[in-house]
Amino acid sequence: MKRIKLALIGIICLTIFGYVQSCSDSTTEIEQVPNLDIPEEFNEVGKLHNEGLEYVFNELKVAAIEYTKNPQLKGHTFLENHDEFVRQATLKFCQHNKKMQSHFDLCENVLNNNNILLKSGTTNINNPIIAQLLDETKVLIRENIKKKNDLSLLKVQLDAINNKAANILSEQDAIVIYCATSIGYASYQYWTENYRKWYFAIHYPEILEQYNDDELNQLQLKNGKIRTK
């Protein structure tokens, strides 16, 4: 139950539009790298997070196409309330994803009550060691985005954090770090591959029917004009 909740927190709390607006436009080629050196069940948390991101993107595409076709929406900014759109799309993901369906009430509770995050069971987010390792993870992800480092380097860095957690935290508390590094690792891969399609979907919704996802990820913006690579 705790692991499902941590996965939910990862999907919900990595603010999607914040990542889209802050990530650099990376053209780094994604290499094939192994999973993090943590139990496989925690690598699955990162994969579930990315499934959530992709589900929200597909909801975004539907909304964008409707926006461009509905004359009543002309004059209104596309996605005027980003946060509410993400919240509703995430709720739908929890309803339709087989791994999440049985925990929908929990998902809804987390979405509507941000203050309950990571406050169940014996895991305590106020633990200074947990807080420090979470901060280290955030800094690593941010630095790797900025420098456009390859995934093999990020894996080494995150494995070091996981190893530290395994050595100095209880098995239960280490779960928080495993989930955080798994989500960060998976998220880094996702945004490196898919930054462009999100950018163009949000800022140029009128083009979404012209291109599939792979084509969107190959687009470039030069001198105000959209071009293919």
Side-chain angles (χ1 to χ4, degrees), residues 22-154:
S22 64
C23 285
S24 60
D25 185 2
S26 174
T27 56
T28 304
E29 293 296 327
I30 292 296
E31 63 207 86
Q32 294 298 318
V33 295
N35 288 333
L36 295 177
D37 292 336
I38 52 179
E40 183 56 28
E41 60 194 299
F42 299 113
N43 281 309
E44 291 300 316
V45 171
K47 295 174 184 177
L48 184 60
H49 167 263
N50 284 7
E51 289 177 29
L53 289 175
E54 192 63 10
Y55 187 95
V56 175
F57 177 76
N58 288 327
E59 290 293 300
L60 174 66
K61 283 179 65 176
V62 171
I65 292 170
E66 178 183 351
Y67 169 82
T68 58
K69 290 184 174 181
N70 189 339
Q72 294 181 347
L73 297 178
K74 297 298 182 182
H76 294 273
T77 303
F78 178 51
L79 292 185
E80 290 180 312
N81 190 336
H82 291 174
D83 291 341
E84 180 60 18
F85 177 86
V86 172
R87 192 181 78 85
Q88 292 295 334
T90 305
L91 279 172
K92 289 183 68 174
F93 172 70
C94 292
Q95 285 178 316
H96 294 99
N97 184 277
K98 292 182 179 180
K99 296 176 182 177
M100 292 296 192
Q101 286 173 341
S102 60
H103 302 281
F104 177 74
D105 289 345
L106 175 60
C107 180
E108 189 173 35
N109 195 22
V110 171
L111 281 163
N112 293 331
N113 300 279
N114 291 332
N115 291 330
I116 71 170
L117 301 182
L118 291 175
K119 290 185 179 179
S120 66
T122 59
T123 302
N124 184 1
I125 196 60
N126 293 321
N127 181 319
I129 298 175
I130 294 177
Q132 178 185 340
L133 293 178
L134 287 175
D135 285 341
E136 287 182 23
T137 301
K138 292 176 186 177
V139 170
L140 276 178
I141 298 297
R142 191 179 301 119
E143 289 180 348
N144 277 272
I145 289 173
K146 185 183 299 183
K147 297 177 181 178
K148 300 182 180 180
N149 290 332
D150 60 47
L151 281 169
S152 59
L153 175 59
L154 180 59

Side-chain angles (χ1 to χ4, degrees), residues 2-12 45 48 100 183:
K2 183 181 291 294
R3 291 164 188 175
I4 291 293
K5 182 169 184 176
L6 289 168
L8 281 168
I9 291 169
I11 295 167
I12 295 163
V45 171
L48 184 60
M100 292 296 192
I183 290 167

